[in-house]
Amino acid sequence: MTRHFAPGDLVRARGREWVALPTPRSGWLHLRPLSGSETDTALLNPRLEVQPVEPATFDLPPDAPRATQSAATLLADALQLSLRRGAGPFRSAAQLNVEPRGYQLVPLLMALRQAVPRLLIADDVGIGKTIEAGLILREFMDRGEASAFSVLCPPHLVEQWTRELKERFGIDATAITAASAARLERQLPVSQSLFEAYPHTIVSLDYIKAEKRRDGFARSCPDFVIIDEAHACVGTHKGRQQRFELLRGLAADSSRRMIMLTATPHSGDEEAFGRLLSLIDPYFTSQDFGSRRYRERLARHFVQRRRGDLEGEWDEERAFPRHLSTDAPYALDEAHRAFHEAVLDYCLGVVSRTAGGQRERRLAFWGTLALMRCVGSSPDAALSALRTRARGEAEKLEDQLYDEDGDDEDAVDVEPTGLGAIDGDLADLIAQAETLSTAPDPKLDHLVKLLKPLVREGAAPVVFCRYIATADRVGRGLKAAFPKAHVEVVTGMLTSDERRDRVAAMEGEEPRILVATDCLSEGINLQLLFDTVVHYDLSWNPTRHQQREGRVNRFGQPAAEVRSALMFSPDSAIDGAVLDVILRKAEAIREATGVAVPLPDERGPVTDALMASMVLRRRTPQQYDFFDQLTAGAEAMERTWRDAEDAEKKSRSLFAQGALKPEEVLPEWRKTRRLLGGAAEAKRFLEAAMARFDAPVETVRGEMRAHVHALPESLRERLSEKELDGTLRLVDREPVPAQAALIGRAHPLTATLAEALVESALEPGALDAASVGRLGAWASPAVAALTRIVLLRLRFKLTVHTQPHRLLLAEEAALVAMQDDAIVASGEEARALLDAPAAYGLSERARDRLIGRAHEAVTGPLLGGPLTEHAHARAVALSEDHARLREAARSAPRVTVEPVLPPDLIALYALTPAEGPQ
């Protein structure tokens, strides 16, 4: 007859003890070793086992190895940090290697309110949308509600997402891009798709959006999807239309959970905003933004916070640095100004001679603006564009001109080609550019003048250029001007891995200056190495400036102040036009609404307004037959900006999220984290554990250096499986320096050592190098009467009252102090008694006598009395914690907590007063 085992039961199978977990198959047992890793599980069918599966009991043998006071505290920490199934209302807290800010809990609360979470998280750049989305994903995975997921993001963000999920949330995901998909598919049988074989994936939007792939993806797509840069999935651009069709197909499944992230959700385009919101619910396509019903319904799905909404309100510490922004104008010398005028005259002449219809004239406008933009960047960029002017591709020119996020991210910093054959006038311009490329450059000279006091004060600047040729020129100039500084140049000529390596190599170098194109404006966070941004070239898309600064000015920036400088020349027709037509208008909207808006999708008026502004700025004014058209475009552009500001103000007033307050549940969050142990407990444990293995941690400039290579071979093997070797650099608080890691409870080193030490206590001989023992006795100055400290592992069954009900297993480490037959302290108070250094050791006879009496009492009537009552009391308290979260989330399912009895006796220590027997 086959026995029935429930989750939480102890069983003996295959010669060892296990804990039964909730099983995915009827008639099977899902087991975890009693003293093993959380991931070391087995699924077995009792009817197929050679030896029957029997009930087991968790015993504390009276002859268990003896422990000293230091070993006792080490085991208490190891047990606390080894458990991965916390019983508190936030199930994910046990798996995190990040300490979220209070405001980052708001999207999680919103997700918990919904039966099928669908959210649009539209927080500012650098606030931590990745952390917010990761929290939701980790929580739903740990609640048993999400077993598979896909993150859809632009290709340049795939690597960042893969790394963030692993390092912060302990989730291993497979990157699927155009480069990796074919290799992965070759390893699979024909009948199996990538997304069936790999349940956790980070997918390039540009790879999966193609019609031949998106239909197959829709069929096998997981039921939990995160979409990053969601605003890039709506619009008139062909690539955006393909992305939208992909997402619309996924959203058609009403049971699919979808978390969308963007820093620019609205941008004055209500139609695009409506399409984006339709992915949450087709109801929102109505665009009835002003109705109360619409606002109340959308508030359950949409959250948007500016930095000003968060600073000083949500946390004890300042969340973000102060941002000091300045203009840095410079003057052109006569030679450079004459070159600008000559190129503009040439371009306007080409436009005047353009035959054909409106499209041909528009292409000539684009060619003019593209060439003038290169001229304004540097003589080197101008020379590159002039030489390639005859090889232009008209279809790509507009996207390149306006810094549009196109499909080819590697071309983001390539000088745009123009249109037309090389003639005599163009040859003369090329000669001028060649001369200026080797002459002193007033723009570069001004950059050096700007950087010298900043570098002298210890600043670490990033100089953003638009084009590769410009970045290379600036890099050469800065290396000459700052011979003692480490100057690196990163452009799209490097692969993504090479870019990351080049940036990482700058750590520890002082002073350091990074010159980069917009290939680094997204995807690689720079806040740990840099604190200043210089816009050497103006971006023509206002949100690109925000993205550049957001690489440095973001969550985790250690500096109290971040500076940015905007370089431009009042003598430059193109700089002046871009400032007047685009950047100053967008900045005024940002100051009025707190939100950076991108360029409107309709670029015709933008082009006309820029051309008109340049014509009016020429030193020798001349009337052109196309000027009336340009004037009309400039007027349309003014109306467009006014409409964008009005729409954004309306958006902020209608959709700002203020209903949910994380302070309602912060006590529960912090209580859960205290019970589980955070960075401080992990640091204490790591120092003690490494010392016990004769590999003490070193502290160098505030960082911990853990020498993994000095650990015993058995531990090195376990750690190598997690890609840990050599010397690890660790810190116990944010911000985390580059090349270092946060030493939290979920860090692989913490988890591996904790699991190994608990295993060594429960199975003597499992780890020969360090047995910590389970029974001990010593004289303590902290007690006035004989006190027994009991280390417990409490196991609970959590019933989630959904349809159908879900049963989860949870565990909690607990310390209680007992005198006679009563519990006199628990938690932190009991821990303080255990931590108090022993006054002196006891003779072996006295020690064993105290241990024997304590063991007889605790394993007898006290186990079924006060200790069982303590387990029941904890279950009641946990139920109340879950109820408070449910009340804050308003519609989260009810959770009841039941203890699994008897509690597990992990260790027992008898403390006698210091004046007691010796």
Side-chain angles (χ1 to χ4, degrees), residues 721-786:
E721 294 174 359
K722 301 178 182 180
E723 301 178 357
L724 296 182
D725 53 28
T727 296
L728 306 183
R729 296 173 51 188
L730 307 165
V731 294
D732 62 347
R733 62 176 58 85
E734 300 272 10
V736 181
Q739 306 303 308
L742 184 68
I743 182 63
R745 71 181 324 275
H747 188 279
L749 180 59
T750 309
T752 300
L753 292 181
E755 291 164 0
L757 284 167
V758 172
E759 184 178 345
S760 77
L762 300 184
E763 298 180 21
L767 194 64
D768 294 335
S771 177
V772 292
R774 299 173 64 186
L775 295 170
W778 57 86
S780 171
V783 299
L786 179 63

Coordinates of all heavy atoms in Angstrom, one line a residue, residues 721-786:
E721 N 30.8 25.6 -10.1 CA 29.6 25.3 -10.9 C 28.7 26.6 -11.0 O 27.9 26.7 -11.9 CB 28.7 24.2 -10.2 CG 29.4 22.9 -10.3 CD 28.6 21.8 -9.5 OE1 27.6 22.2 -8.9 OE2 29.1 20.7 -9.4
K722 N 28.9 27.5 -10.1 CA 28.2 28.8 -10.1 C 29.1 29.9 -10.7 O 28.9 31.1 -10.5 CB 27.7 29.2 -8.7 CG 26.8 28.1 -8.2 CD 26.4 28.4 -6.7 CE 25.5 27.3 -6.2 NZ 25.0 27.6 -4.8
E723 N 30.2 29.5 -11.3 CA 31.1 30.5 -12.0 C 31.8 31.4 -11.0 O 32.0 32.6 -11.3 CB 30.4 31.2 -13.1 CG 29.8 30.3 -14.2 CD 29.0 31.1 -15.2 OE1 28.9 32.4 -15.1 OE2 28.5 30.5 -16.2
L724 N 32.1 30.9 -9.8 CA 32.8 31.7 -8.8 C 34.2 31.0 -8.6 O 34.3 29.9 -8.2 CB 32.1 31.7 -7.5 CG 30.7 32.4 -7.5 CD1 30.1 32.4 -6.1 CD2 30.8 33.8 -8.0
D725 N 35.2 31.8 -8.8 CA 36.6 31.3 -8.5 C 37.5 32.5 -8.3 O 37.1 33.7 -8.4 CB 37.1 30.4 -9.6 CG 37.0 31.1 -11.0 OD1 37.1 32.4 -11.0 OD2 36.9 30.4 -12.0
G726 N 38.7 32.3 -7.9 CA 39.7 33.3 -7.7 C 39.3 34.2 -6.4 O 38.9 33.6 -5.4
T727 N 39.5 35.5 -6.5 CA 39.2 36.4 -5.4 C 37.9 37.2 -5.8 O 37.9 37.9 -6.9 CB 40.4 37.3 -5.1 OG1 41.4 36.5 -4.7 CG2 40.0 38.3 -4.1
L728 N 36.9 37.2 -5.0 CA 35.7 38.0 -5.2 C 35.7 39.3 -4.5 O 36.2 39.4 -3.3 CB 34.5 37.2 -4.8 CG 34.3 35.7 -5.3 CD1 33.0 35.1 -4.8 CD2 34.4 35.8 -6.8
R729 N 35.3 40.3 -5.1 CA 35.2 41.7 -4.5 C 33.7 41.9 -4.1 O 32.8 41.8 -5.0 CB 35.6 42.7 -5.5 CG 37.1 42.6 -5.8 CD 37.5 43.6 -6.9 NE 37.1 44.9 -6.6 CZ 37.2 45.9 -7.5 NH1 37.7 45.8 -8.6 NH2 36.8 47.2 -7.1
L730 N 33.5 42.2 -2.8 CA 32.1 42.2 -2.3 C 31.9 43.5 -1.5 O 32.9 43.9 -0.8 CB 31.8 41.0 -1.5 CG 32.1 39.6 -2.2 CD1 32.1 38.5 -1.1 CD2 31.0 39.4 -3.2
V731 N 30.7 44.0 -1.5 CA 30.3 45.1 -0.6 C 29.0 44.8 0.1 O 28.2 43.9 -0.4 CB 30.2 46.4 -1.3 CG1 31.6 46.9 -1.8 CG2 29.2 46.4 -2.5
D732 N 28.7 45.4 1.2 CA 27.5 45.1 1.9 C 26.4 46.1 1.8 O 25.4 46.1 2.5 CB 27.8 44.8 3.4 CG 28.3 46.1 4.1 OD1 28.7 47.0 3.4 OD2 28.4 46.1 5.3
R733 N 26.5 47.1 0.8 CA 25.5 48.1 0.7 C 25.6 48.7 -0.7 O 26.6 48.7 -1.4 CB 25.6 49.2 1.7 CG 26.9 50.0 1.7 CD 26.8 51.1 2.7 NE 26.6 50.6 4.0 CZ 27.5 50.2 4.8 NH1 28.8 50.2 4.4 NH2 27.3 49.8 6.1
E734 N 24.5 49.2 -1.2 CA 24.4 50.0 -2.5 C 25.1 51.4 -2.2 O 24.9 51.9 -1.1 CB 23.0 50.2 -3.0 CG 22.3 48.9 -3.2 CD 22.5 48.4 -4.7 OE1 23.4 48.9 -5.4 OE2 21.8 47.4 -5.1
P735 N 25.7 52.0 -3.2 CA 25.9 51.5 -4.5 C 27.1 50.5 -4.6 O 28.0 50.6 -3.8 CB 26.2 52.8 -5.3 CG 26.8 53.7 -4.3 CD 26.1 53.4 -3.0
V736 N 27.0 49.6 -5.6 CA 28.0 48.6 -5.7 C 29.1 49.1 -6.8 O 28.7 49.3 -7.9 CB 27.4 47.3 -6.2 CG1 28.4 46.2 -6.3 CG2 26.3 46.9 -5.2
P737 N 30.3 49.1 -6.4 CA 31.4 49.5 -7.4 C 31.4 48.5 -8.5 O 31.0 47.4 -8.4 CB 32.7 49.5 -6.6 CG 32.2 49.6 -5.1 CD 30.9 48.9 -5.1
A738 N 31.9 49.0 -9.7 CA 32.1 48.1 -10.8 C 33.0 47.0 -10.4 O 34.0 47.2 -9.6 CB 32.7 48.9 -12.0
Q739 N 32.8 45.8 -11.0 CA 33.5 44.6 -10.8 C 33.4 44.0 -9.4 O 34.1 43.1 -9.0 CB 35.0 44.8 -11.1 CG 35.3 45.4 -12.4 CD 34.8 44.5 -13.6 OE1 35.0 43.4 -13.6 NE2 34.0 45.2 -14.4
A740 N 32.5 44.6 -8.6 CA 32.2 44.1 -7.3 C 30.7 43.6 -7.3 O 30.0 43.8 -8.2 CB 32.4 45.1 -6.2
A741 N 30.3 42.9 -6.2 CA 29.0 42.4 -6.1 C 28.4 42.7 -4.7 O 29.2 42.8 -3.7 CB 28.9 40.9 -6.4
L742 N 27.1 42.8 -4.6 CA 26.5 43.0 -3.3 C 26.4 41.7 -2.6 O 25.9 40.7 -3.1 CB 25.1 43.6 -3.5 CG 24.3 43.9 -2.2 CD1 25.0 45.1 -1.5 CD2 22.8 44.2 -2.5
I743 N 26.9 41.6 -1.3 CA 26.9 40.4 -0.6 C 25.6 40.2 0.2 O 25.6 40.5 1.4 CB 28.2 40.3 0.3 CG1 28.2 38.9 1.0 CG2 28.3 41.4 1.2 CD1 28.3 37.7 0.1
G744 N 24.6 39.8 -0.5 CA 23.3 39.6 0.1 C 23.1 38.1 0.5 O 24.0 37.2 0.2
R745 N 22.0 37.8 1.0 CA 21.7 36.4 1.4 C 21.6 35.5 0.1 O 21.8 34.3 0.2 CB 20.4 36.3 2.2 CG 19.1 36.5 1.3 CD 17.8 36.5 2.2 NE 17.9 35.5 3.2 CZ 17.5 34.2 3.1 NH1 17.2 33.8 1.9 NH2 17.6 33.4 4.1
A746 N 21.2 36.0 -1.0 CA 21.1 35.2 -2.2 C 22.3 35.2 -3.1 O 22.3 34.5 -4.1 CB 19.9 35.7 -3.1
H747 N 23.4 35.8 -2.6 CA 24.6 35.7 -3.4 C 25.1 34.3 -3.4 O 25.0 33.6 -2.4 CB 25.7 36.6 -2.8 CG 26.9 36.7 -3.7 ND1 27.9 35.8 -3.7 CD2 27.3 37.7 -4.6 CE1 28.9 36.1 -4.5 NE2 28.6 37.3 -5.1
P748 N 25.6 33.8 -4.5 CA 26.0 32.3 -4.6 C 27.0 31.9 -3.5 O 27.0 30.8 -3.1 CB 26.6 32.2 -6.0 CG 25.9 33.3 -6.8 CD 25.7 34.4 -5.9
L749 N 27.9 32.8 -3.2 CA 28.9 32.5 -2.2 C 28.3 32.3 -0.8 O 28.5 31.3 -0.1 CB 30.0 33.5 -2.1 CG 31.1 33.3 -1.1 CD1 31.8 32.0 -1.3 CD2 32.1 34.4 -1.0
T750 N 27.4 33.3 -0.4 CA 26.7 33.2 0.8 C 25.8 31.9 0.9 O 25.9 31.1 1.8 CB 25.7 34.4 1.0 OG1 26.5 35.6 0.8 CG2 25.1 34.4 2.4
A751 N 25.0 31.7 -0.2 CA 24.1 30.5 -0.2 C 24.9 29.2 -0.2 O 24.5 28.3 0.6 CB 23.3 30.6 -1.5
T752 N 26.0 29.1 -0.9 CA 26.7 27.8 -0.9 C 27.4 27.5 0.4 O 27.3 26.4 0.9 CB 27.8 27.9 -2.0 OG1 27.2 28.1 -3.3 CG2 28.6 26.6 -2.1
L753 N 28.0 28.5 1.0 CA 28.6 28.3 2.3 C 27.6 28.0 3.4 O 27.8 27.1 4.3 CB 29.4 29.5 2.7 CG 30.7 29.8 1.9 CD1 31.4 31.0 2.5 CD2 31.6 28.6 1.9
A754 N 26.4 28.7 3.4 CA 25.4 28.4 4.4 C 24.8 27.0 4.2 O 24.7 26.3 5.2 CB 24.3 29.5 4.2
E755 N 24.5 26.6 3.0 CA 24.0 25.3 2.8 C 25.0 24.2 3.2 O 24.6 23.2 3.8 CB 23.6 25.1 1.3 CG 22.4 25.9 0.9 CD 22.3 26.0 -0.7 OE1 23.2 25.4 -1.3 OE2 21.4 26.7 -1.1
A756 N 26.3 24.5 2.9 CA 27.3 23.5 3.3 C 27.5 23.3 4.8 O 27.6 22.2 5.3 CB 28.6 23.9 2.6
L757 N 27.4 24.4 5.5 CA 27.6 24.4 7.0 C 26.4 23.7 7.6 O 26.5 23.0 8.6 CB 27.8 25.8 7.5 CG 29.2 26.3 7.2 CD1 29.3 27.8 7.5 CD2 30.3 25.5 8.1
V758 N 25.2 24.0 7.1 CA 24.0 23.3 7.7 C 24.1 21.8 7.4 O 23.8 21.0 8.3 CB 22.7 23.9 7.1 CG1 21.5 23.1 7.5 CG2 22.5 25.4 7.6
E759 N 24.5 21.5 6.2 CA 24.6 20.1 5.9 C 25.7 19.4 6.7 O 25.5 18.3 7.2 CB 25.1 20.0 4.4 CG 25.2 18.6 3.9 CD 25.6 18.6 2.4 OE1 25.5 19.6 1.7 OE2 26.0 17.5 1.9
S760 N 26.8 20.1 7.1 CA 27.8 19.5 7.9 C 27.3 19.3 9.3 O 27.7 18.4 10.0 CB 29.0 20.4 7.9 OG 28.8 21.5 8.8
A761 N 26.3 20.1 9.8 CA 25.8 20.0 11.1 C 24.8 18.8 11.2 O 24.8 18.0 12.1 CB 25.1 21.2 11.6
L762 N 24.0 18.7 10.1 CA 22.9 17.7 10.1 C 23.5 16.3 9.7 O 22.9 15.3 10.0 CB 21.8 18.1 9.2 CG 21.1 19.4 9.6 CD1 19.9 19.7 8.7 CD2 20.6 19.4 11.0
E763 N 24.5 16.3 8.9 CA 25.1 15.0 8.4 C 26.6 15.1 8.7 O 27.4 15.4 7.8 CB 24.9 14.8 6.9 CG 23.4 14.7 6.6 CD 23.2 14.5 5.1 OE1 24.2 14.1 4.4 OE2 22.1 14.8 4.6
P764 N 27.0 14.8 9.9 CA 28.5 14.8 10.3 C 29.3 14.0 9.3 O 28.9 12.9 8.9 CB 28.5 14.2 11.7 CG 27.2 14.4 12.2 CD 26.2 14.3 11.1
G765 N 30.4 14.7 8.9 CA 31.2 14.0 7.9 C 31.0 14.5 6.5 O 31.8 14.2 5.6
A766 N 29.8 15.2 6.3 CA 29.5 15.7 4.9 C 30.6 16.7 4.5 O 30.8 16.9 3.3 CB 28.1 16.3 4.9
L767 N 31.1 17.5 5.4 CA 32.1 18.5 5.1 C 33.2 18.4 6.2 O 33.1 19.0 7.2 CB 31.4 19.9 5.1 CG 32.2 21.1 4.5 CD1 32.4 20.8 3.0 CD2 31.5 22.4 4.8
D768 N 34.2 17.6 5.9 CA 35.2 17.3 6.9 C 35.9 18.5 7.4 O 36.3 18.5 8.6 CB 36.2 16.3 6.3 CG 35.6 15.0 5.9 OD1 34.5 14.6 6.6 OD2 36.1 14.3 5.1
A769 N 36.0 19.5 6.6 CA 36.8 20.7 7.0 C 36.2 21.5 8.1 O 36.9 22.2 8.8 CB 37.1 21.5 5.8
A770 N 34.9 21.4 8.3 CA 34.2 22.2 9.3 C 32.9 21.6 9.7 O 31.9 21.8 9.1 CB 34.0 23.6 8.7
S771 N 32.9 20.9 10.8 CA 31.7 20.5 11.4 C 31.4 21.4 12.6 O 32.3 21.7 13.5 CB 31.9 19.1 12.0 OG 30.7 18.6 12.6
V772 N 30.2 22.0 12.6 CA 30.0 23.1 13.6 C 29.2 22.5 14.8 O 29.1 23.2 15.8 CB 29.1 24.2 12.9 CG1 29.9 25.0 11.9 CG2 27.8 23.7 12.3
G773 N 28.7 21.3 14.7 CA 28.1 20.8 15.9 C 26.7 21.3 16.2 O 26.4 22.4 15.8
R774 N 25.9 20.5 17.0 CA 24.5 20.9 17.2 C 24.2 21.0 18.7 O 23.1 21.5 19.1 CB 23.6 19.9 16.6 CG 23.7 19.8 15.1 CD 22.9 18.6 14.5 NE 21.5 18.8 14.7 CZ 20.6 17.9 14.4 NH1 21.0 16.7 13.9 NH2 19.3 18.1 14.6
L775 N 25.1 20.6 19.6 CA 24.9 20.7 21.0 C 26.0 21.4 21.7 O 27.2 21.1 21.4 CB 24.7 19.3 21.6 CG 23.5 18.4 21.1 CD1 23.6 17.0 21.6 CD2 22.2 19.1 21.7
G776 N 25.7 22.3 22.6 CA 26.8 23.0 23.3 C 26.4 23.5 24.6 O 25.2 23.6 24.9
A777 N 27.3 23.8 25.5 CA 27.1 24.4 26.8 C 28.3 25.3 27.2 O 29.4 24.9 26.9 CB 26.8 23.4 27.8
W778 N 28.0 26.4 27.8 CA 29.1 27.3 28.2 C 28.6 28.3 29.3 O 27.3 28.4 29.4 CB 29.8 28.1 27.1 CG 28.8 28.9 26.3 CD1 28.4 30.2 26.5 CD2 28.2 28.5 25.1 NE1 27.6 30.6 25.6 CE2 27.4 29.7 24.6 CE3 28.1 27.4 24.3 CZ2 26.6 29.6 23.5 CZ3 27.4 27.3 23.1 CH2 26.6 28.5 22.7
A779 N 29.5 28.9 30.0 CA 29.1 29.9 31.0 C 29.0 31.3 30.3 O 29.8 31.7 29.5 CB 30.1 30.0 32.1
S780 N 27.9 32.0 30.5 CA 27.6 33.2 29.8 C 27.3 34.3 30.8 O 26.5 34.1 31.8 CB 26.4 33.1 28.9 OG 26.0 34.3 28.4
P781 N 27.9 35.5 30.6 CA 27.6 36.6 31.5 C 26.2 37.3 31.2 O 25.7 38.1 31.9 CB 28.7 37.6 31.2 CG 29.1 37.3 29.8 CD 28.9 35.8 29.6
A782 N 25.5 36.8 30.1 CA 24.3 37.4 29.7 C 23.1 36.8 30.3 O 22.0 37.3 30.2 CB 24.2 37.3 28.1
V783 N 23.2 35.7 31.1 CA 22.1 35.1 31.7 C 22.3 35.0 33.2 O 23.4 34.9 33.7 CB 21.9 33.7 31.2 CG1 21.6 33.7 29.7 CG2 23.0 32.7 31.5
A784 N 21.2 35.1 34.0 CA 21.2 35.1 35.4 C 20.7 33.7 35.9 O 20.8 33.4 37.1 CB 20.4 36.2 36.0
A785 N 20.1 32.9 35.0 CA 19.7 31.6 35.4 C 19.9 30.6 34.2 O 20.2 31.1 33.1 CB 18.2 31.6 35.7
L786 N 19.9 29.4 34.5 CA 20.1 28.4 33.5 C 19.1 28.6 32.3 O 17.9 28.7 32.5 CB 20.0 27.0 34.0 CG 20.2 25.8 33.0 CD1 21.6 25.8 32.4 CD2 19.8 24.5 33.6

